[in-house]
Amino acid sequence: MSPRLVASLRVLLAATGFIGAVTGPTWLPVLAVVLLALRFRAWEGILIGLTVDLLWQPSGWIIGSFPLYTFGAIVLIWALEPLRKKLITFV
Amino acid sequence: MYYRPSNLRRGGNKGLYIVTALALLVLLADMATGGFIRAQVRVAGAAASRWTAAAGSAIGGTGLLSSRAALEAQNRSLALQLATLSEEAAQVDVLKEENDKLRAMVHLAEKDPGITTPVISSLFASPYGTFMIGAGSEDGVEKGDIVLTDGGFVVGEVSDVSASVSLVTEILAPSAAFEALVSGAPIHAEGAGSGSGRAEVSRSLGVSVGDVIRAAQYAQQPIAIVGAIASTSESATQTIYFHLPTGLSEIQYIYVTQARR
């Protein structure tokens, strides 16, 4: 795939994730973050998770509910870093 | 076709480190400011939700995403309607429907003082079983207030309040568990999201479809009705499935009042 196409795909996935965070369904931002994390060092995935938690999670975390989506995105994107480094690209 | 190694730059994690630190800092700052940051994000999110809904309606109205057969059928229908329907009559119908919904809530105000407010976010976007309403501390909304449908069924409880927007946690949110009453008997109910839930009860309990489920924590106010009952002769228990009588997607306005406990 051409670099321009790859960049467009990344923007599309990020936009889908942010729109899904606002309007739903709930699996859309998760899918976007997973797909982004598989291919890119997607810092925008962390922002998508943060957006979901700031929008929908009741406050009082640690005492109340845990910001699952933010930490989930951070763990996922960092955990897939070794996979991304060894990624084999078909040309 | 051949293989080539990934072209990710070595040591290119700087941006990721910065964003990770920024995200954690935002969460800490939000906690330190008592939810100020999330209040601003929710106001922006509510506006974005309204814009997206309007854009979706506009695109759907053009028929762009419809099949050819559906478009032809729609064309015929619209041609017939065009002769008898005017734009002003349609606007009057919308206003009348809103008026009817708001009028249906008047009886709630006679029993418990409170305010009627619109739902300003998607009711299905939240993974935490929450949604936003267009009223906040400026309107007298307080944390712990309960939210009712026009039929007087408890939908949830206000869990976060900012100046003009509040976050409501559904009583039937996914993984929520609470004590309830049906046919006068206490049950342990579990929320399943989207205004529905379930409970395992004894087979000897006389429950019927249509029975009202009441929340013990809200002075036995109604929260749902029984929609289905599943039981087998081998089991000592039966599973009752319940839901809000009004579909969650149909709720446009809700009533906020202080909780009776």
Side-chain angles (χ1 to χ4, degrees):
Chain A
M1 283 197 290
S2 70
R4 184 175 292 182
L5 188 60
V6 171
S8 300
L9 180 66
R10 183 173 178 173
V11 169
L12 182 64
L13 281 173
T16 303
F18 279 110
I19 291 172
V22 174
T23 62
T26 55
W27 52 263
L28 195 57
V30 176
L31 182 65
V33 171
V34 168
L35 292 176
L36 282 167
L38 282 172
R39 182 60 183 86
F40 309 103
R41 278 196 192 108
W43 50 266
E44 57 269 30
I46 296 174
L47 295 182
I48 291 170
L50 183 65
T51 302
V52 169
D53 283 333
L54 288 177
L55 272 176
W56 303 114
Q57 189 210 5
S59 63
W61 68 284
I62 294 181
I63 301 168
S65 55
F66 187 71
L68 185 63
Y69 276 59
T70 306
F71 282 90
I74 289 172
V75 167
L76 184 68
I77 289 168
W78 281 104
L80 290 179
E81 177 65 9
L83 175 67
R84 286 193 296 268
K85 281 184 175 170
K86 292 189 184 305
L87 188 69
I88 297 172
T89 307
F90 289 90
V91 177
Chain B
M1 184 184 292
Y2 63 92
Y3 297 91
R4 65 175 168 82
S6 164
N7 60 358
L8 290 173
R9 287 177 289 114
R10 282 189 190 179
N13 283 340
K14 190 176 175 185
L16 203 52
Y17 278 119
I18 292 171
V19 174
T20 301
L22 185 68
L24 295 173
L25 198 65
V26 167
L27 287 174
L28 284 170
D30 178 66
M31 189 172 69
T33 56
F36 175 78
I37 295 176
R38 64 181 66 221
Q40 307 311 309
V41 171
R42 281 171 191 162
V43 169
S49 183
R50 278 195 300 272
W51 182 86
T52 309
S57 296
I59 292 171
T62 64
L64 196 67
L65 301 176
S66 301
S67 67
R68 181 187 172 88
L71 280 171
E72 285 175 350
Q74 188 185 31
N75 214 14
R76 282 193 295 274
S77 172
L78 285 172
L80 279 172
Q81 285 183 38
L82 199 59
T84 56
L85 196 66
S86 68
E87 186 179 345
E88 288 176 356
Q91 285 176 346
V92 168
D93 285 343
V94 168
L95 288 170
K96 185 178 180 303
E97 187 185 339
E98 276 187 13
N99 195 30
D100 288 342
K101 284 184 189 295
L102 290 169
R103 192 182 296 277
M105 295 194 166
V106 169
H107 76 280
L108 293 173
E110 292 167 356
K111 204 163 60 172
D112 295 307
I115 60 166
T116 300
T117 179
V119 175
I120 59 170
S121 74
S122 166
L123 287 157
F124 305 102
S126 170
Y128 299 102
T130 56
F131 59 91
M132 288 185 264
I133 59 174
S137 55
E138 289 174 351
D139 306 289
V141 176
E142 294 176 354
K143 189 172 176 176
D145 284 350
I146 57 170
V147 164
L148 310 171
T149 64
D150 56 0
F153 280 75
V154 178
V155 178
E157 184 174 321
V158 175
S159 49
D160 264 7
V161 182
S162 58
S164 58
V165 173
S166 297
L167 191 74
V168 175
T169 300
E170 294 173 40
I171 192 171
L172 297 174
S175 306
F178 53 94
E179 301 305 310
L181 294 164
V182 65
S183 299
I187 63 172
H188 182 75
E190 295 170 356
S194 302
S196 62
R198 60 185 290 276
E200 291 277 340
V201 300
S202 165
R203 282 194 71 208
S204 61
L205 182 64
V207 182
S208 308
V209 171
D211 282 354
V212 176
I213 308 287
R214 298 178 181 276
Q217 69 208 69
Y218 298 123
Q220 299 186 32
Q221 285 183 276
I223 59 170
I225 57 172
V226 176
I229 303 169
S231 66
T232 58
S233 53
E234 297 87 28
S235 175
T237 60
Q238 56 184 341
T239 305
I240 57 172
Y241 299 92
F242 45 86
H243 57 86
L244 272 174
T246 307
L248 211 57
S249 58
E250 295 167 17
I251 297 177
Q252 289 181 287
Y253 294 95
I254 46 91
Y255 189 72
V256 184
T257 183
Q258 282 191 336
R260 283 185 271 137
R261 299 184 194 271

